[in-house]
Amino acid sequence: MNSDSSRGTKRSRSRARTGLIIGMATAIASAGVVALSAGTAQAADTLGASAAEKGRYFGAAVAEHHLGEAQYAETLNREFNSVTAENSMKWDAVESSPGNFNFSGGDQIVRHAESQGMDVRGHTLVWHSQLPGWV
């Protein structure tokens, strides 16, 4: 075999190896896309579930007087896995006059959250614009 035909054979083998590698890489990449597509189909379908998959929570500030509104409650229940009382756990709502306590708004939010398997996060008790007048 002369050196020219030897070089041609080596080039031919090199091209064949390159083609084989590219073909294998394409097959592996295609399999990866199929696997990712299948994984995506299993992905969370709500914001709260997506956050929970990553060990996080996705919450909302909730006003108890809106819990009776169908769209409000449905969106809250579907998308969130955590709630915080918007105002009903602040000082003016809890103790509007000295020694006169009312936890009903906060209790309503907690009951709703517990019935939906949600976490409840605290909120600021003392807030500059929502202090009871007697303070």
Side-chain angles (χ1 to χ4, degrees), residues 1-122:
M1 216 180 346
N2 69 29
S3 64
D4 286 336
S5 71
S6 174
R7 276 185 244 156
T9 304
K10 286 181 183 176
R11 268 190 236 132
S12 195
R13 286 183 190 151
S14 177
R15 286 185 193 133
R17 264 184 270 175
T18 302
L20 181 60
I21 290 169
I22 290 172
M24 289 175 63
T26 302
I28 291 169
S30 297
V33 169
V34 169
L36 286 175
S37 296
T40 304
Q42 302 288 332
D45 58 353
T46 67
L47 296 169
S50 181
E53 284 180 347
K54 294 175 178 47
R56 298 178 182 271
Y57 62 90
F58 186 73
V62 176
E64 77 282 353
H65 57 275
H66 289 300
L67 290 174
E69 298 170 16
Q71 287 183 325
Y72 183 96
E74 287 168 10
T75 302
L76 176 67
N77 297 344
R78 180 183 63 246
E79 297 295 333
F80 298 89
N81 61 3
S82 175
V83 298
T84 298
E86 192 173 275
N87 292 307
S88 59
M89 292 184 183
K90 291 181 180 167
W91 195 358
D92 68 338
V94 173
E95 189 182 16
S96 59
S97 59
N100 182 21
F101 295 94
N102 180 356
F103 299 102
S104 63
D107 288 345
Q108 185 178 350
I109 290 170
V110 170
R111 277 192 305 275
H112 182 89
E114 287 177 341
S115 76
Q116 298 299 313
M118 298 175 180
D119 289 333
V120 178
R121 304 279 178 199

